Amino acid sequence: MKLLMESLSYLSPDGVALVEKAYQYASWAHSFDVRASGAPYITHLIAATTNLAELKVDAQTLAATLLHDVLEDTLVVEKELTEEFGPEIVFLVKGVTKLNKYQFDDTITEQAENWKKMLLAVVKDPRVILIKIADRLHNMRTLESLSRQKQEKIANETLTLYAPFAHRLGIYKWRNELEDLSFAILYPSQYNEIKAKLDARVESNSALLTELEEQIKSKIPQTEIPYRILSRPKNLYGIYKKMERQQKPFEQIEDILGLRIITDTVEHCYMILGIINANFKLVENSFTDYINVPKSNLYQSLHLTIITSNNAIIETQIRTEDMHHRAEYGIAAHWRYKIQSSGGKVKGGSNEDNLDWLKQFLEGQKDVKDSQEFINMLKTECVFTQIFVFTPLKKVIKLPLGATALDFAYAIHSDIGDSFVGAKVNGKMANINTKLKTGDIVEVFTRKNVHPTKHWLEYTVSYQARSHIRKYLRMKGGDF
Ligand code: MN
């Protein structure tokens, strides 16, 4: 508790008092509860709340995190909690409270319904998902007292849903930890192997990184441009995924170590880029400007890959302090400003844009009855990887990775999707199952009297396409 109280210095005295009151209440409500490890239950609540205090969220969110298991696990009922803490905090607590599990026939339905319920609350107030992930982060850190089977179940859900969700929100710091903790449980031998190799590589490359840092410092006078340099190894699961994707052993994975140059202004980012460009060899085509064109989670940085004098390859990112904070805590950091500037209410502006995808997703899934399909689509949707393709008139269309021309057709309009007969990709006729890639120019052909068939579900990954196809099939009397 001491650690938590110390981390609250950014709050007003009223805010601190609210957190203290929630702490007292939670301690009382959970006074007879212990965790699987035997530790008093309140330790879990304090730890989850401390995770969130690192993001400097508002006092209501912290209070709700302390209270997040009160309705699920204690005898306290909603009415009492509302009288004590008001509707806003109770909304957050209810958002993370699971449905009564006895009403479900099987675990997949239970999982799907709990996610649906939570996401509907998230759309209304994004702070709900922060509490849920902070909660999961602490549970993942303390899994050891659970049975092997339970550990695997929780790790699996964390790796396929919570970590991608954290990624989608841009909370990379949490994503990395969630991934690595799950990875250790689900693939222990791969985890240990990569960890040993990474430790060895960090050790043997530390001299190289220091040298590059010195070279950069000698070219960019810190008196003229204020900056600091951080080095970071990639997280273990990130390395593993890359090995799988590229079908390469650890030894051939190149950008495992990286540098970050953090400065004060956007102007200085480009000045540093210019100096590096002029003084170092870069991997061809390695430059990406995410400052000018931010990722859709608002991530911004300049990316480039430097080749050192002894031919080592170092992935480098240049960004401002603000961008750095957003890169670690993502949209969460952004909400803070929103919450402060709107007097405690989360509303409007960019955070709405940020959750648009979730709103659209839930809208598209409204009629989906199949729980497994819902969970699968949610996994696809949370995995942030998107591709950008073009119409013949050069309009950009965003699609999930793995999308086909049929997904593209539905992304343009459901009528175009429904009457799809074929497509040209970059001027050539393409198969219905050809996967598109970023930069493709896609031209769709339609015909009247053509209609979706159930095979179309095999050729689509986007929820727009799949929900429209299913809608049509259901209309025709099928059970989809
Ligand atoms: Mn909990």
Side-chain angles (χ1 to χ4, degrees):
M1 187 56 192
K2 193 164 161 281
L3 198 72
L4 173 60
M5 293 314 289
E6 279 169 8
S7 66
L8 300 182
S9 55
Y10 66 93
L11 292 179
S12 68
D14 282 358
V16 175
L18 177 63
V19 176
E20 264 178 339
K21 183 184 167 192
Y23 166 73
Q24 298 297 345
Y25 193 91
S27 303
W28 164 77
H30 288 282
S31 48
F32 299 109
D33 300 339
V34 286
R35 304 198 77 213
S37 65
Y41 202 81
I42 190 76
T43 56
H44 165 61
L45 306 167
I46 293 171
T49 309
T50 307
N51 288 341
L52 268 177
E54 249 176 72
L55 272 69
K56 301 203 184 336
V57 299
D58 65 315
Q60 275 93 351
T61 312
L62 297 178
T65 312
L66 282 162
L67 299 166
H68 80 266
D69 283 323
V70 161
L71 293 180
E72 194 169 310
D73 297 336
T74 79
L75 295 172
V76 172
V77 295
E78 188 183 333
K79 189 167 168 287
E80 294 168 280
L81 199 63
T82 311
E83 277 163 15
E84 227 27 77
F85 291 98
E88 191 176 337
I89 288 175
V90 172
F91 180 86
L92 295 174
V93 173
K94 277 171 67 190
V96 297
T97 298
K98 286 201 189 107
L99 297 160
N100 182 350
K101 67 174 176 185
Y102 299 107
Q103 62 182 298
F104 302 110
D105 299 338
D106 56 83
T107 52
I108 188 74
T109 311
E110 184 188 342
Q111 191 190 26
E113 292 307 316
N114 274 315
W115 272 94
K116 268 186 211 167
K117 171 192 165 291
M118 178 176 69
L119 294 176
L120 287 168
V122 171
V123 166
K124 288 202 186 116
D125 191 331
R127 295 176 295 176
V128 168
I129 190 68
L130 294 185
I131 298 171
K132 194 69 191 177
I133 303 177
D135 172 41
R136 179 54 63 102
L137 186 56
H138 182 249
N139 286 337
M140 284 302 298
R141 284 177 187 162
T142 52
L143 273 188
E144 56 306 319
S145 354
L146 300 183
S147 69
R148 180 74 206 159
Q149 201 196 352
K150 265 201 163 153
Q151 288 185 14
E152 281 176 12
K153 185 174 164 257
I154 295 172
N156 192 24
E157 189 187 36
T158 302
L159 191 62
T160 55
L161 284 167
Y162 285 99
F165 218 109
H167 178 80
R168 185 86 211 226
L169 297 174
I171 315 175
Y172 296 114
K173 212 178 164 169
W174 288 7
R175 178 209 59 192
N176 287 347
E177 192 179 345
L178 289 169
E179 281 186 349
D180 282 356
L181 289 165
S182 319
F183 184 37
I185 287 166
L186 298 171
Y187 308 93
S189 63
Q190 288 94 326
Y191 175 88
N192 289 325
E193 192 190 326
I194 294 175
K195 183 161 184 354
K197 287 179 173 171
L198 179 64
D199 290 348
R201 177 150 347 161
V202 168
E203 174 87 29
S204 69
N205 278 290
S206 66
L208 191 109
L209 282 177
T210 318
E211 197 193 312
L212 181 61
E213 269 188 61
E214 291 309 318
Q215 284 172 358
I216 291 173
K217 282 181 187 158
S218 72
K219 303 289 182 212
I220 312 173
Q222 267 162 312
T223 47
E224 282 163 39
I225 303 176
Y227 65 92
R228 59 195 176 106
I229 300 179
L230 300 175
S231 66
R232 56 150 192 135
K234 228 183 173 65
N235 75 321
L236 296 166
Y237 187 66
I239 296 170
Y240 172 71
K241 270 194 301 194
K242 197 155 193 176
M243 287 164 62
E244 292 285 294
R245 200 166 55 232
Q246 302 185 347
Q247 288 294 305
K248 282 180 181 169
F250 179 89
E251 290 67 26
Q252 288 174 29
I253 301 293
E254 279 168 336
D255 52 354
I256 283 173
L257 299 171
L259 279 189
R260 286 188 182 133
I261 306 173
I262 302 167
T263 183
D264 56 348
T265 63
V266 170
E267 220 180 331
H268 283 152
C269 288
Y270 286 103
M271 279 167 74
I272 291 170
L273 172 71
I275 298 171
I276 287 187
N277 231 332
N279 291 284
F280 295 88
K281 223 160 76 178
L282 300 185
V283 171
E284 216 179 310
N285 295 327
S286 68
F287 176 66
T288 315
D289 185 346
Y290 290 117
I291 289 183
N292 223 343
V293 186
K295 293 191 186 179
S296 54
N297 59 6
L298 301 184
Y299 173 87
Q300 288 181 296
S301 278
L302 302 175
H303 285 202
L304 56 150
T305 309
I306 298 178
I307 307 175
T308 67
S309 48
N310 30 11
N311 280 329
I313 284 178
I314 308 288
E315 219 180 59
T316 306
Q317 298 159 354
I318 306 169
R319 53 171 73 146
T320 64
E321 293 284 353
D322 279 356
M323 292 170 192
H324 183 57
H325 191 253
R326 202 157 58 220
E328 301 230 293
Y329 297 121
I331 167 176
H334 196 72
W335 291 334
R336 181 157 55 94
Y337 302 120
K338 282 288 164 193
I339 292 161
Q340 280 172 351
S341 61
S342 59
K345 270 261 161 294
V346 185
K347 65 168 189 197
S350 307
N351 58 54
E352 271 188 2
D353 301 341
N354 276 314
L355 286 169
D356 258 3
W357 65 275
L358 187 56
K359 276 181 211 161
Q360 284 173 24
F361 171 75
L362 289 172
E363 194 62 29
Q365 294 293 312
K366 247 200 211 138
D367 307 321
V368 177
K369 301 248 162 32
D370 182 346
S371 299
Q372 187 66 61
E373 168 81 2
F374 175 79
I375 292 290
N376 290 347
M377 292 311 290
L378 181 60
K379 285 177 186 172
T380 310
E381 190 54 32
C382 285
V383 175
F384 175 65
T385 324
Q386 283 185 319
I387 57 167
F388 299 89
V389 297
F390 298 95
T391 68
L393 294 173
K394 289 289 162 68
K395 186 171 179 263
V396 181
I397 304 289
K398 274 196 253 179
L399 291 168
L401 188 71
T404 61
L406 190 51
D407 285 300
F408 175 90
Y410 276 101
I412 293 184
H413 197 279
S414 58
D415 291 344
I416 299 195
D418 281 344
S419 51
F420 178 92
V421 283
K424 273 185 177 173
V425 176
N426 304 323
K428 287 195 193 118
M429 282 311 292
N431 284 327
I432 189 167
N433 58 355
T434 303
K435 299 208 185 320
L436 301 175
K437 51 185 195 313
T438 290
D440 281 348
I441 299 168
V442 187
E443 187 183 352
V444 171
F445 302 106
T446 57
R447 196 183 299 147
K448 271 186 201 157
N449 306 324
V450 169
H451 300 294
T453 71
K454 82 174 196 245
H455 297 292
W456 284 21
L457 290 171
E458 292 162 29
Y459 307 128
T460 44
V461 294
S462 63
Y463 60 82
Q464 290 112 316
R466 298 178 66 83
S467 61
H468 277 117
I469 295 167
R470 258 188 265 100
K471 196 190 248 169
Y472 179 83
L473 295 172
R474 259 199 320 272
M475 201 181 75
K476 288 276 142 194
D479 181 20
F480 292 92

PDB file of all heavy atoms in Angstrom, residues 35 41 44-45 48 65 68-69 73 132 135-136 139, ligand 1:
ATOM      1  N   ARG A  35      -5.935 -15.209  -1.739  1.00  0.00           N
ATOM      2  CA  ARG A  35      -5.636 -15.645  -3.105  1.00  0.00           C
ATOM      3  C   ARG A  35      -5.219 -17.116  -3.084  1.00  0.00           C
ATOM      4  O   ARG A  35      -4.956 -17.676  -2.021  1.00  0.00           O
ATOM      5  CB  ARG A  35      -4.495 -14.802  -3.681  1.00  0.00           C
ATOM      6  CG  ARG A  35      -4.775 -13.308  -3.648  1.00  0.00           C
ATOM      7  CD  ARG A  35      -3.860 -12.596  -4.603  1.00  0.00           C
ATOM      8  NE  ARG A  35      -4.326 -12.761  -5.970  1.00  0.00           N
ATOM      9  CZ  ARG A  35      -3.539 -12.832  -7.022  1.00  0.00           C
ATOM     10  NH1 ARG A  35      -2.225 -12.798  -6.882  1.00  0.00           N
ATOM     11  NH2 ARG A  35      -4.039 -12.946  -8.238  1.00  0.00           N
ATOM     12  N   TYR A  41      -6.295 -11.174  -0.072  1.00  0.00           N
ATOM     13  CA  TYR A  41      -6.797 -10.768  -1.388  1.00  0.00           C
ATOM     14  C   TYR A  41      -6.444  -9.322  -1.737  1.00  0.00           C
ATOM     15  O   TYR A  41      -6.186  -8.994  -2.897  1.00  0.00           O
ATOM     16  CB  TYR A  41      -8.312 -10.967  -1.468  1.00  0.00           C
ATOM     17  CG  TYR A  41      -8.761 -11.068  -2.892  1.00  0.00           C
ATOM     18  CD1 TYR A  41      -8.641 -12.267  -3.575  1.00  0.00           C
ATOM     19  CD2 TYR A  41      -9.238  -9.951  -3.576  1.00  0.00           C
ATOM     20  CE1 TYR A  41      -8.994 -12.366  -4.906  1.00  0.00           C
ATOM     21  CE2 TYR A  41      -9.599 -10.037  -4.908  1.00  0.00           C
ATOM     22  CZ  TYR A  41      -9.481 -11.252  -5.563  1.00  0.00           C
ATOM     23  OH  TYR A  41      -9.810 -11.338  -6.886  1.00  0.00           O
ATOM     24  N   HIS A  44      -3.690  -8.339  -4.212  1.00  0.00           N
ATOM     25  CA  HIS A  44      -3.989  -8.338  -5.649  1.00  0.00           C
ATOM     26  C   HIS A  44      -4.557  -6.987  -6.082  1.00  0.00           C
ATOM     27  O   HIS A  44      -4.174  -6.421  -7.110  1.00  0.00           O
ATOM     28  CB  HIS A  44      -4.975  -9.463  -5.958  1.00  0.00           C
ATOM     29  CG  HIS A  44      -5.636  -9.350  -7.303  1.00  0.00           C
ATOM     30  ND1 HIS A  44      -4.922  -9.367  -8.488  1.00  0.00           N
ATOM     31  CD2 HIS A  44      -6.942  -9.195  -7.656  1.00  0.00           C
ATOM     32  CE1 HIS A  44      -5.762  -9.248  -9.503  1.00  0.00           C
ATOM     33  NE2 HIS A  44      -6.985  -9.130  -9.027  1.00  0.00           N
ATOM     34  N   LEU A  45      -5.453  -6.455  -5.272  1.00  0.00           N
ATOM     35  CA  LEU A  45      -6.110  -5.191  -5.618  1.00  0.00           C
ATOM     36  C   LEU A  45      -5.108  -4.043  -5.607  1.00  0.00           C
ATOM     37  O   LEU A  45      -5.125  -3.172  -6.470  1.00  0.00           O
ATOM     38  CB  LEU A  45      -7.259  -4.931  -4.651  1.00  0.00           C
ATOM     39  CG  LEU A  45      -8.264  -6.105  -4.578  1.00  0.00           C
ATOM     40  CD1 LEU A  45      -9.193  -5.950  -3.403  1.00  0.00           C
ATOM     41  CD2 LEU A  45      -9.030  -6.211  -5.890  1.00  0.00           C
ATOM     42  N   ALA A  48      -2.762  -4.450  -8.780  1.00  0.00           N
ATOM     43  CA  ALA A  48      -3.412  -4.056 -10.039  1.00  0.00           C
ATOM     44  C   ALA A  48      -3.534  -2.530 -10.110  1.00  0.00           C
ATOM     45  O   ALA A  48      -3.326  -1.916 -11.162  1.00  0.00           O
ATOM     46  CB  ALA A  48      -4.784  -4.713 -10.155  1.00  0.00           C
ATOM     47  N   THR A  65     -10.419   0.206  -9.608  1.00  0.00           N
ATOM     48  CA  THR A  65      -9.527  -0.956  -9.668  1.00  0.00           C
ATOM     49  C   THR A  65      -9.421  -1.612  -8.287  1.00  0.00           C
ATOM     50  O   THR A  65      -9.439  -2.833  -8.166  1.00  0.00           O
ATOM     51  CB  THR A  65      -8.132  -0.531 -10.172  1.00  0.00           C
ATOM     52  OG1 THR A  65      -8.296   0.273 -11.345  1.00  0.00           O
ATOM     53  CG2 THR A  65      -7.297  -1.756 -10.549  1.00  0.00           C
ATOM     54  N   HIS A  68     -12.533  -3.609  -7.921  1.00  0.00           N
ATOM     55  CA  HIS A  68     -13.009  -4.307  -9.128  1.00  0.00           C
ATOM     56  C   HIS A  68     -13.564  -5.705  -8.872  1.00  0.00           C
ATOM     57  O   HIS A  68     -14.326  -6.218  -9.675  1.00  0.00           O
ATOM     58  CB  HIS A  68     -11.933  -4.330 -10.222  1.00  0.00           C
ATOM     59  CG  HIS A  68     -10.866  -5.378 -10.051  1.00  0.00           C
ATOM     60  ND1 HIS A  68      -9.681  -5.117  -9.425  1.00  0.00           N
ATOM     61  CD2 HIS A  68     -10.809  -6.669 -10.435  1.00  0.00           C
ATOM     62  CE1 HIS A  68      -8.943  -6.218  -9.432  1.00  0.00           C
ATOM     63  NE2 HIS A  68      -9.602  -7.177 -10.038  1.00  0.00           N
ATOM     64  N   ASP A  69     -13.195  -6.335  -7.758  1.00  0.00           N
ATOM     65  CA  ASP A  69     -13.711  -7.680  -7.493  1.00  0.00           C
ATOM     66  C   ASP A  69     -14.793  -7.702  -6.412  1.00  0.00           C
ATOM     67  O   ASP A  69     -15.275  -8.763  -6.038  1.00  0.00           O
ATOM     68  CB  ASP A  69     -12.558  -8.612  -7.082  1.00  0.00           C
ATOM     69  CG  ASP A  69     -11.723  -9.049  -8.284  1.00  0.00           C
ATOM     70  OD1 ASP A  69     -12.309  -9.275  -9.363  1.00  0.00           O
ATOM     71  OD2 ASP A  69     -10.481  -9.149  -8.146  1.00  0.00           O
ATOM     72  N   ASP A  73     -16.952 -11.035  -6.038  1.00  0.00           N
ATOM     73  CA  ASP A  73     -16.445 -11.988  -5.034  1.00  0.00           C
ATOM     74  C   ASP A  73     -16.905 -11.759  -3.604  1.00  0.00           C
ATOM     75  O   ASP A  73     -16.581 -12.548  -2.725  1.00  0.00           O
ATOM     76  CB  ASP A  73     -14.903 -11.972  -5.032  1.00  0.00           C
ATOM     77  CG  ASP A  73     -14.326 -12.441  -6.357  1.00  0.00           C
ATOM     78  OD1 ASP A  73     -15.039 -13.172  -7.066  1.00  0.00           O
ATOM     79  OD2 ASP A  73     -13.182 -12.081  -6.670  1.00  0.00           O
ATOM     80  N   LYS A 132      -9.254  -3.946 -16.623  1.00  0.00           N
ATOM     81  CA  LYS A 132      -9.227  -5.384 -16.916  1.00  0.00           C
ATOM     82  C   LYS A 132      -7.799  -5.838 -17.256  1.00  0.00           C
ATOM     83  O   LYS A 132      -7.363  -6.904 -16.825  1.00  0.00           O
ATOM     84  CB  LYS A 132     -10.176  -5.661 -18.088  1.00  0.00           C
ATOM     85  CG  LYS A 132     -10.505  -7.105 -18.289  1.00  0.00           C
ATOM     86  CD  LYS A 132     -11.377  -7.655 -17.177  1.00  0.00           C
ATOM     87  CE  LYS A 132     -11.468  -9.169 -17.274  1.00  0.00           C
ATOM     88  NZ  LYS A 132     -12.236  -9.740 -16.167  1.00  0.00           N
ATOM     89  N   ASP A 135      -5.554  -5.769 -14.146  1.00  0.00           N
ATOM     90  CA  ASP A 135      -5.948  -6.931 -13.341  1.00  0.00           C
ATOM     91  C   ASP A 135      -5.277  -8.186 -13.903  1.00  0.00           C
ATOM     92  O   ASP A 135      -4.634  -8.952 -13.178  1.00  0.00           O
ATOM     93  CB  ASP A 135      -7.486  -7.036 -13.424  1.00  0.00           C
ATOM     94  CG  ASP A 135      -8.046  -8.288 -12.797  1.00  0.00           C
ATOM     95  OD1 ASP A 135      -7.556  -8.683 -11.729  1.00  0.00           O
ATOM     96  OD2 ASP A 135      -9.007  -8.860 -13.367  1.00  0.00           O
ATOM     97  N   ARG A 136      -5.385  -8.383 -15.218  1.00  0.00           N
ATOM     98  CA  ARG A 136      -4.811  -9.570 -15.842  1.00  0.00           C
ATOM     99  C   ARG A 136      -3.284  -9.587 -15.721  1.00  0.00           C
ATOM    100  O   ARG A 136      -2.680 -10.627 -15.521  1.00  0.00           O
ATOM    101  CB  ARG A 136      -5.258  -9.630 -17.317  1.00  0.00           C
ATOM    102  CG  ARG A 136      -4.710 -10.802 -18.106  1.00  0.00           C
ATOM    103  CD  ARG A 136      -4.997 -12.142 -17.444  1.00  0.00           C
ATOM    104  NE  ARG A 136      -6.393 -12.484 -17.313  1.00  0.00           N
ATOM    105  CZ  ARG A 136      -7.047 -13.346 -18.105  1.00  0.00           C
ATOM    106  NH1 ARG A 136      -6.419 -13.946 -19.082  1.00  0.00           N
ATOM    107  NH2 ARG A 136      -8.317 -13.611 -17.893  1.00  0.00           N
ATOM    108  N   ASN A 139      -2.488 -10.884 -12.360  1.00  0.00           N
ATOM    109  CA  ASN A 139      -2.803 -12.318 -12.306  1.00  0.00           C
ATOM    110  C   ASN A 139      -1.738 -13.130 -13.044  1.00  0.00           C
ATOM    111  O   ASN A 139      -1.326 -14.192 -12.581  1.00  0.00           O
ATOM    112  CB  ASN A 139      -4.178 -12.596 -12.904  1.00  0.00           C
ATOM    113  CG  ASN A 139      -5.300 -12.142 -11.972  1.00  0.00           C
ATOM    114  OD1 ASN A 139      -5.096 -12.029 -10.768  1.00  0.00           O
ATOM    115  ND2 ASN A 139      -6.461 -11.872 -12.530  1.00  0.00           N
TER     116      ASN A 139
HETATM  117 MN    MN B   1      -9.022  -9.324 -10.139  1.00  0.00          MN
END
